[in-house]
Amino acid sequence: MDSFLLNDIVKRALEEDLGYGDRTTEALFPAPLPATGFIVAKEDLVVAGNNLVQAVFQTLDPSIDFEEKCTSGGSVRKGARIAQVSGDARILLKGERTALNFLQRLSGIATLTRRFVDRIKGTSAQIVDTRKTTPGLRVCEKEAVHLGGGGNHRFHLGDLILIKDNHISLCGGVSQAIRAVRGTRSHSLKVEVEVNTLIELEEALQESVEIIMLDNMPIPEIKKAIRIIKDKAPATLVEVSGGVDLERVTEIARCGVDLISVGALTHSAPAVDISFDILPGSRLSGQESPVGRKVS
Amino acid sequence: MDSFLLNDIVKRALEEDLGYGDRTTEALFPAPLPATGFIVAKEDLVVAGNNLVQAVFQTLDPSIDFEEKCTSGGSVRKGARIAQVSGDARILLKGERTALNFLQRLSGIATLTRRFVDRIKGTSAQIVDTRKTTPGLRVCEKEAVHLGGGGNHRFHLGDLILIKDNHISLCGGVSQAIRAVRGTRSHSLKVEVEVNTLIELEEALQESVEIIMLDNMPIPEIKKAIRIIKDKAPATLVEVSGGVDLERVTEIARCGVDLISVGALTHSAPAVDISFDILPGSRLSGQESPVGRKVS
Amino acid sequence: MDSFLLNDIVKRALEEDLGYGDRTTEALFPAPLPATGFIVAKEDLVVAGNNLVQAVFQTLDPSIDFEEKCTSGGSVRKGARIAQVSGDARILLKGERTALNFLQRLSGIATLTRRFVDRIKGTSAQIVDTRKTTPGLRVCEKEAVHLGGGGNHRFHLGDLILIKDNHISLCGGVSQAIRAVRGTRSHSLKVEVEVNTLIELEEALQESVEIIMLDNMPIPEIKKAIRIIKDKAPATLVEVSGGVDLERVTEIARCGVDLISVGALTHSAPAVDISFDILPGSRLSGQESPVGRKVS
Amino acid sequence: MDSFLLNDIVKRALEEDLGYGDRTTEALFPAPLPATGFIVAKEDLVVAGNNLVQAVFQTLDPSIDFEEKCTSGGSVRKGARIAQVSGDARILLKGERTALNFLQRLSGIATLTRRFVDRIKGTSAQIVDTRKTTPGLRVCEKEAVHLGGGGNHRFHLGDLILIKDNHISLCGGVSQAIRAVRGTRSHSLKVEVEVNTLIELEEALQESVEIIMLDNMPIPEIKKAIRIIKDKAPATLVEVSGGVDLERVTEIARCGVDLISVGALTHSAPAVDISFDILPGSRLSGQESPVGRKVS
Amino acid sequence: MDSFLLNDIVKRALEEDLGYGDRTTEALFPAPLPATGFIVAKEDLVVAGNNLVQAVFQTLDPSIDFEEKCTSGGSVRKGARIAQVSGDARILLKGERTALNFLQRLSGIATLTRRFVDRIKGTSAQIVDTRKTTPGLRVCEKEAVHLGGGGNHRFHLGDLILIKDNHISLCGGVSQAIRAVRGTRSHSLKVEVEVNTLIELEEALQESVEIIMLDNMPIPEIKKAIRIIKDKAPATLVEVSGGVDLERVTEIARCGVDLISVGALTHSAPAVDISFDILPGSRLSGQESPVGRKVS
Amino acid sequence: MDSFLLNDIVKRALEEDLGYGDRTTEALFPAPLPATGFIVAKEDLVVAGNNLVQAVFQTLDPSIDFEEKCTSGGSVRKGARIAQVSGDARILLKGERTALNFLQRLSGIATLTRRFVDRIKGTSAQIVDTRKTTPGLRVCEKEAVHLGGGGNHRFHLGDLILIKDNHISLCGGVSQAIRAVRGTRSHSLKVEVEVNTLIELEEALQESVEIIMLDNMPIPEIKKAIRIIKDKAPATLVEVSGGVDLERVTEIARCGVDLISVGALTHSAPAVDISFDILPGSRLSGQESPVGRKVS
């Protein structure tokens, strides 16, 4: 994600929290106080969002020193240090909550994605996200999915033609809808169609589309659908969507689908637990790291 | 939440999704098509975010008709209609995902809050949120907590003096910290201090503060702490924080605490399942409602 | 183009022109004066931008009445009325220049596009635009190309993988570049590669891509290239780019290419001549229309 | 142009092109790659917009090194290097199109202005621009006119009182209009009036104005008008406007006018051809410059 | 002032005051309550800013009814009603302070301007403002000066060439400075020069400028200066600036100057006293008006 | 005040003054000219706003060197140097007016606050501000009050529950209002109630509130009120508001009140006189300082 895009997101977040000052920190520390903040994983997790953490502290004060201690997309164990931040303690205290809000949410998404990805290892399927993201944070959240090992589905309504159930019912059927887009479809965009039944699938296969989404189908029906597609239009990508969870995902992947889209990656990933511990002194070396205490 | 505050949030969300057009809808429907969209609960839930749903559709087209079918903060059953939206089908299709992204997230927060609140019925405790909110959506999320029956803790760093562990360790102790804020504290703000041990608690009680937060204490320690506080400073409010979940919350509430703060209300509430089904025709009456199909 | 997207563009344009007031109009007309403005084509042209004209006047005053007199994308003759605007003369005077700046530029793009499109009638080729647009107005300008009868190439760097000469030279060759994107390419995006020679073309055809762009090739080489592609990868779309003008475009189209991209559509289309004549009185009927005088 | 004013214009342009990432560059180059981009004139031109080119690349990455190779406003020959940019190849690739979009448009304006200016050398006339600029880019485009050797007419509706045909017809005549502004005119603003006939001119000369604009007059009428003005109000500046092109401009200038305003400078200047060629390696010296290949 | 320009100013002001809700009003009034607010002058004053008051309430709720009870620029007596606002009491309570902050400040400026203007009645001098305005509110404050009867000096650094003491000392003298701008001065801008002594004045008169500012001169020197100017360049406007107060202004005006600029109009005008009294019930008629109680 | 919050305020102010260029400076100085600007107090004053002065110049040009010559909140004598700024003279000339507009206004507020504070030395009262601030500058102005020695009352409608006269009259009485907020009041906010008579005071004391505001009471009534409060609710803070001026403030303070709120601190503080003198040469030492000439 290009860093100039982070500025507005970070500024809005800081204004929300700091627009009227940090009355506690201002009251306690009238003068600068060199300190170092340690960002520590409190559970096993996949890291995403360090670029936002850095932007938070350096928006507050460009002289803050930020050091990543593990790569974005890296898997870290409980207790591992994710990053450390050195500079005036007052800046660390002011940015702490906003930085963690980004980091815990985005790492939560990357961590949940990784769990799905791990469940389908060895198959040819790919886990992908949806447009069910937090309003205003889509690009960040899709980057977190990517860092977790997933692929990105549409970023917005303009980068793929995707005919869904509401389109179909308003158009009067799957073939009508596909034929309707044919004349107007942009040469640069693929076309995908969602089907809910094998009958709709047969209809779709009479037209030409690049991707077929099997929505909310039981496993046996998915298997039948794939056999039909491989037979009639083997170059078509097959996506499965709807009701995918960690329990069912392996079985779905083994059906031979290409893509499994999971809305929960972005709309329901729980935040992961990460602490931020501040010690006096700048640029402390590794061994002086504190036992990570919980920051609420 | 004052409605003029929603405009920017909604505009940003729509630009993110629609800034380059909805190539599917534009390709399928060259002309306006009167339609009605039904927003239906797919599980039991508490509604929050209808004001954002309305703002989404009316930002796209002020002539869209929006009708709430249940009150904000109301508990609805699976299958119940939450709202309905009438107007050009193309507007309904373009706003659908953004509207649901707000509604599912905020209703998720209200629903989780209600579950916590229900667990402590009959006690004198109140469930409150934290600053662990989605960057940029804090005011919306805190309203959802309120609709779920919870109270609101700090909105930002300027509306309460709250001395936390990092402040204390940098200041050299609980009493030093409290004494340091005394001279500078604003007459209009309360002071709260976080304590992690009974020793810190004793230190805090030697100074005067309006609220004491017991952080990450086991139940027996909480009980002891409350006995000490009732004894020495009975007017002080007592907050419990850290590691609170649905299993422990009842027991904590029964200790006699005033406030139980739960970060998970906003950082880890799963989205609730809500569908949006569009039928041709404007202003359909209730009986014609479709069997709620899943919208992915 | 969704109308909520126009607001910021229009507001910025009006602030640029009107931020310190219209000292002439304020000096001349202390009180409201009902009037009607007639927007008239001063040459044959294709209309684009009426949505911005409407937005300009209604941003200044929501009570202004705007009436389109010809469809967007319609071809009109010199002297034809494009639209008419009724309301306070002071608003008409204040919005005139900004409205015409949008309308003349966008209609200029639509008009030039139409001329290219007319030259390739009867072939299977399509005229498409490029990313060589005015910074800040891309979506408007691409809509003008569409209204002129052209197709839209990429809206931004995220909606197609397009490997160009600079990518190739940095990667060390056409095949290296195509192979490098293979692992990472998104399932939802097509891949296009630009080739400058038949040797590069042969390289490209050994890999699989959806679109091949022949850049700056002379006609005989284009013909050879198309024969090779039809032979080895007949499903591939062929785009011709570079140095396309109204003289050469017919011959290029007849070579059997699919797409002809023309940067000049947006970077060099001259503004078309359009006048705005204001008469006292509101809602004048058609016959009272003035002889279109020139507005400079 | 003050550089802080460029930030928003540049940011908007980059967001438009890069808001969802550059999927090609990200796919091809996972790691930084030192490179240098050469900006080369592909035709004779006058340079304008280097400040925006610099801002584009340094907004993406402040560590990018930008070196101007010719002065703004300087005339360069086909093949001459305009500027060079060193840093991570990925940044150069991402900023290339946006940078060129600014540079080609603004240099196009400066180049066309210079051609007009050259045609009137030796006369006392000055070429000036109009308010017919691209919405949102007026200050940049007026600076390009200045760099091309032209003068700037009004920047906005607040910096000169200019009574035009629509004002006059709504006021009931030239003298009525001039008299109407007299009482209210600001001491700090000049007054200009547009006249279309010698009769209107006589009317105007009975009042006092600083500038008279002769709109759309044939040459013999311009000559008569100037004789009348020199006779009755010799201190008045005379502007000619309307239908000025490279063919007519010399003859108009020789009539003895002071100002010739040309809308086409900003509304119809074709973009000039400029290439951007990227070679691996940072800070290459001049002799290693590539033969400028075309960048589409 | 064009009303679309007010939106951002008003929105920012409301966000500042209401961004986290009005906890008092929300706590007291859970349901809408029809009410009318009366805006009443608590001292004699000149009204300015009613357009902002209207924008404040209608930004909060477009259904609010706003009724002006006296014209902008009108002089009202203590006790007179300035405007009245009807609608939900909660909206009135939320907008009250922001509306009054605008109205009291701008009416304060208009009132002070009127006092200066009244002191120079019968002379040919005009009171004008300066650029010493509140950052972000210049256009509003200059409108208030205009409503008070004053004229407007420069709106910004681009609408007049004004050579001041710092320019002169850096240039090496008055004549050097005037000659330096001659070549580059825009045809559309006047030139003014500030002189501090009669020697500088003589220097200035050897060049040609439209306005001369006599800065910080004692009365006898102003008189001498005017005699010299009338003698040598009678068409030149004469401005007096520096240390002008209500005591000295009449005498200065009687010297025969054209313009007297007073920074205090905008940088030091005290707010006037205005109350906002809310009564239950909508659209109360005049006689039911409450005795204006003070709103702090 | 966190410096990232200043950027937008400063950018808006500079755009207002410089958006179309500084035609004088551009005309006079085509090339950079090293210079130093001295900011000098022209009267005794308390300094506030140096952070904005620095931001103004460094927004224009980050290489400008800014040196504070006295501490914020410090009292300086007429003639004392407040700060000095070195760099290109053209930047100093362009930023001068905007910088002084901030500095003179905010130092005016700090200076007036200090005068009030000095008048109540030796009492236990504190001078506090109100929400009667300049729209858009509240946080800056409240910091200036703080630097002058005052305390800050509410920053916005969300950080204290304050029941005022309009609330009370709409609710039907003081006790009704206090009881109405009781159920809903947030645990983190204090409650204040405004009373206008001793009867209202008695009503208020029957409920429990943290702060009581005595509005517009004569001194003898204030004294009675304080006796009653000390008697019945000695922990309650007492605020006096309304009609407080430098003459009355000492007597009010001696009554034993805790807080005296003064709207005039922010709505009517006159700007203090400060000059900005520019000399050629960078980084001049102290002795070379010019005799502070007036900058208008």
Side-chain angles (χ1 to χ4, degrees), chain E residues 17 131 134 138 164 296, chain F residues 17 105 131 138 164 296:
Chain E
D17 203 31
R131 285 168 42 245
T134 309
R138 184 170 289 167
K164 307 194 72 177
S296 68
Chain F
D17 204 29
R105 171 172 304 267
R131 284 166 44 246
R138 184 169 289 166
K164 307 195 72 177
S296 68

Side-chain angles (χ1 to χ4, degrees), chain A residues 185-204:
Chain A
R185 62 196 269 193
S186 165
H187 74 278
S188 66
L189 298 188
K190 294 185 177 178
V191 175
E192 173 167 8
V193 66
E194 170 186 319
V195 298
N196 291 278
T197 64
L198 296 182
I199 293 165
E200 285 186 344
L201 175 62
E202 297 282 1
E203 246 187 286

Side-chain angles (χ1 to χ4, degrees), chain E residues 211-230:
Chain E
I211 316 174
I212 286 181
M213 182 204 288
L214 310 176
D215 190 46
N216 273 314
M217 284 188 184
I219 299 279
E221 213 168 328
I222 292 175
K223 285 181 177 164
K224 272 189 222 159
I226 285 171
R227 246 172 292 134
I228 296 169
I229 297 168
K230 295 282 181 242

Side-chain angles (χ1 to χ4, degrees), chain F residues 14-283:
Chain F
L14 286 170
E15 282 169 352
E16 188 180 60
D17 204 29
L18 262 176
Y20 298 92
D22 175 351
R23 311 288 282 273
T24 312
T25 298
E26 290 157 9
L28 289 173
F29 307 105
L33 178 67
T36 300
F38 300 91
I39 301 180
V40 178
K42 307 293 294 175
E43 59 177 298
D44 294 0
L45 56 85
V46 176
V47 177
N50 259 339
N51 51 349
L52 283 150
V53 173
Q54 176 172 16
V56 164
F57 288 109
Q58 294 183 345
T59 295
L60 287 172
D61 178 352
S63 77
I64 290 289
D65 187 70
F66 176 84
E67 216 175 310
E68 240 180 346
K69 291 294 185 187
C70 67
T71 331
S72 285
S75 217
V76 302
R77 287 284 176 192
K78 177 174 176 172
R81 198 173 293 168
I82 294 170
Q84 86 190 40
V85 194
S86 299
D88 184 357
R90 300 177 303 177
I91 298 299
L92 306 190
L93 288 162
K94 287 173 180 185
E96 169 187 332
R97 185 71 264 141
T98 301
L100 287 181
N101 282 349
F102 281 117
L103 188 65
Q104 293 181 255
R105 171 172 304 267
L106 296 174
S107 298
I109 291 172
T111 302
L112 181 59
T113 303
R114 182 68 49 87
R115 293 180 68 196
F116 273 95
V117 168
D118 287 347
R119 293 282 172 102
I120 64 164
K121 282 246 167 83
T123 73
S124 62
Q126 186 185 23
I127 298 295
V128 298
D129 54 30
T130 64
R131 284 166 44 246
K132 297 179 178 179
T133 56
T134 309
L137 299 181
R138 184 169 289 166
V139 180
C140 301
E141 293 188 348
K142 289 200 166 241
E143 184 170 79
V145 167
H146 172 72
L147 290 170
N152 295 137
H153 212 301
R154 289 201 284 186
F155 275 74
H156 54 86
L157 287 166
D159 58 9
L160 177 73
I161 292 185
L162 170 39
I163 302 169
K164 307 195 72 177
D165 54 357
N166 275 325
H167 298 111
I168 292 168
S169 72
L170 290 166
C171 269
V174 169
S175 358
Q176 287 90 323
I178 301 176
R179 281 198 298 266
V181 302
R182 189 169 286 156
T184 63
R185 63 196 266 194
S186 165
H187 74 278
S188 65
L189 298 188
K190 294 186 177 178
V191 174
E192 174 168 6
V193 67
E194 170 187 318
V195 298
N196 290 277
T197 62
L198 296 183
I199 294 165
E200 284 187 347
L201 174 63
E202 297 282 1
E203 247 187 284
L205 288 171
Q206 278 158 23
E207 314 295 328
S208 146
V209 295
E210 275 91 355
I211 316 175
I212 285 180
M213 181 204 291
L214 309 175
D215 190 46
N216 273 313
M217 284 187 184
I219 299 278
E221 213 169 328
I222 292 175
K223 287 182 176 163
K224 274 189 219 157
I226 285 171
R227 243 173 294 134
I228 296 170
I229 298 168
K230 296 281 179 242
D231 185 46
K232 300 206 174 158
T236 311
L237 289 176
V238 182
E239 174 178 350
V240 164
S241 174
V244 179
D245 56 29
L246 286 165
E247 281 64 48
R248 285 181 76 222
V249 71
T250 316
E251 204 182 355
I252 294 172
R254 288 193 182 136
C255 296
V257 307
D258 300 291
L259 304 160
I260 303 173
S261 57
V262 185
L265 297 183
T266 51
H267 71 51
S268 296
V272 288
D273 198 4
I274 296 176
S275 71
F276 188 78
D277 303 293
I278 305 177
L279 288 195
S282 53
R283 308 243 191 192

Side-chain angles (χ1 to χ4, degrees), chain A residues 73-104:
Chain A
S75 217
V76 302
R77 288 282 176 193
K78 178 174 177 173
R81 197 174 293 169
I82 295 171
Q84 85 189 41
V85 194
S86 298
D88 182 357
R90 300 177 303 176
I91 298 298
L92 305 190
L93 288 162
K94 288 173 179 184
E96 167 187 335
R97 185 69 263 143
T98 301
L100 287 180
N101 282 350
F102 281 116
L103 189 64
Q104 292 182 255

Side-chain angles (χ1 to χ4, degrees), chain E residues 76-96:
Chain E
V76 303
R77 288 281 175 194
K78 177 173 177 174
R81 197 173 291 168
I82 294 170
Q84 84 189 41
V85 194
S86 297
D88 183 357
R90 301 178 301 177
I91 297 298
L92 305 190
L93 289 161
K94 288 172 178 185
E96 168 186 335

